[in-house]
Amino acid sequence: SQQGEEDPQALSIQEGENATMNCSYKTSINNLQWYRQNSGRGLVHLILIRSNEREKHSGRLRVTLDTSKKSSSLLITASRAADTASYFCATDNSQGGSEKLVFGKGTKLTVNP
Amino acid sequence: DTEVTQTPKHLVMGMTNKKSLKCEQHMGHRAMYWYKQKAKKPPELMFVYSYEKLSINESVPSRFSPECPNSSLLNLHLHALQPEDSALYLCASSQDSPGGYQPQHFGDGTRLSIL
C-alpha cells in the first residue's frame, strides 16, 4: 500500500531558483528517506531523517520532518540543471517492526538552464 | 558508477523463455532487495533477503523466483512471464537491517521487455 504522497507531481524551475517538494504519509514512522532518480538510472539515497529529528542538511539539501502533521519537505537551494530528476520520499512503518521501505509517487523536477 | 551491479542492463524475452537477472554488491551488505518499477511510477518491493534468508515476499507470482547464493549475490529467475511484467527491475542493498533504518544502495536496473 502507498505510504508517502509527494506534491507537486511535477515542478519546473529556472537554474538558481530553489525547489521545494513535499511528502505526506499515513502511518507512524521510524525514519523517512529521500531518494533521487535520474532518467533510466537507479535511485540514489539523499538523506535519512529519523522520527525524533526535525531538520537535516546535506550540502544544498534541507529536509524537514513534522511527525504531528505526518509530512516532510525537501528543499534544494540554488538549483542546477543537473538536479533534473525524479525525487521520491520513502518511509518505513513503526508498527509491527516493518522491514519494508515504501516509496511515494514522486516529484519530477525539471531545472531549466 | 553504482556500487550495486546489475546484469544484463536490457533483456527482451518471450513468454515461454527462462532467464535470470543478476545483482552483485561488494560492500559487505547483508540485506538485499528486488523492486519492480513501471514507467512514471515508484519502485514496488518484491522480495527482501536478510543474511541470505528470504524475509519478505510481497505476494509475488511464482513465475518470479529469487535466489541468494551468497552474501554478495542476488538472482531473480524468470519463467513464463506475461507482457505486464515488462518493467525496470531494481536491486538494492543495505548494511544489515532491512527496511527504513539504513540507506539503500540501488543498481541501475535491468529493463525487461516481454514479447
Side-chain angles (χ1 to χ4, degrees):
Chain A
S1 61
Q2 212 73 45
Q3 167 76 309
E5 296 274 339
E6 286 94 334
D7 88 273
Q9 290 188 346
L11 179 61
S12 182
I13 60 174
Q14 295 299 122
E15 214 167 19
E17 293 179 341
N18 296 342
T20 299
M21 289 159 269
N22 302 298
C23 168
S24 59
Y25 56 91
K26 296 175 183 167
T27 64
S28 297
I29 61 170
N30 295 310
N31 308 279
L32 185 144
Q33 302 185 33
W34 284 91
Y35 288 81
R36 183 187 77 231
Q37 185 176 31
N38 291 85
S39 180
R41 303 294 301 273
L43 281 76
V44 174
H45 177 261
L46 297 176
I47 286 185
L48 183 155
I49 187 165
R50 306 203 186 279
S51 59
N52 61 354
E53 298 176 307
R54 291 296 166 257
E55 189 171 309
K56 214 163 179 182
H57 297 253
S58 176
R60 294 182 296 112
L61 306 181
R62 173 179 169 248
V63 166
T64 61
L65 178 64
D66 187 336
T67 52
S68 67
K69 295 182 179 178
K70 291 187 170 58
S71 68
S72 173
S73 67
L74 170 66
L75 168 67
I76 303 174
T77 60
S79 63
R80 304 167 182 167
D83 295 327
T84 294
S86 292
Y87 291 81
F88 296 94
C89 69
T91 53
D92 62 6
N93 188 333
S94 66
Q95 297 166 357
S98 173
E99 297 178 318
K100 291 166 45 174
L101 196 62
V102 179
F103 288 84
K105 293 180 179 177
T107 293
K108 185 173 173 59
L109 173 67
T110 302
V111 181
N112 301 298
Chain B
D1 288 343
T2 60
E3 296 169 312
V4 176
T5 303
Q6 290 188 243
T7 55
K9 291 191 188 306
H10 302 275
L11 179 62
V12 180
M13 58 187 285
M15 289 190 284
T16 58
N17 292 157
K18 284 185 182 180
K19 296 284 185 183
S20 296
L21 309 185
K22 299 194 174 187
C23 174
E24 191 168 3
Q25 57 87 14
H26 294 289
M27 296 178 281
H29 289 178
R30 301 312 297 269
M32 296 186 76
Y33 314 79
W34 280 115
Y35 289 88
K36 173 183 177 180
Q37 186 178 28
K38 301 283 271 186
K40 300 186 192 303
K41 298 289 186 184
E44 293 181 351
L45 183 66
M46 299 175 72
F47 302 104
V48 179
Y49 273 84
S50 178
Y51 288 82
E52 298 151 55
K53 288 186 169 30
L54 183 66
S55 64
I56 293 180
N57 175 343
E58 286 287 278
S59 302
V60 179
S62 60
R63 57 186 184 268
F64 295 91
S65 175
E67 178 196 20
C68 189
N70 60 57
S71 60
S72 300
L73 292 174
L74 189 64
N75 297 322
L76 187 62
H77 302 297
L78 314 173
H79 177 232
L81 296 195
Q82 304 298 308
E84 61 265 27
D85 296 323
S86 297
L88 181 67
Y89 288 84
L90 293 163
C91 173
S93 68
S94 62
Q95 189 169 351
D96 38 44
S97 302
Y101 290 96
Q102 295 163 344
Q104 294 186 14
H105 298 250
F106 283 78
D108 280 337
T110 294
R111 187 158 301 282
L112 177 66
S113 298
I114 307 300
L115 300 179

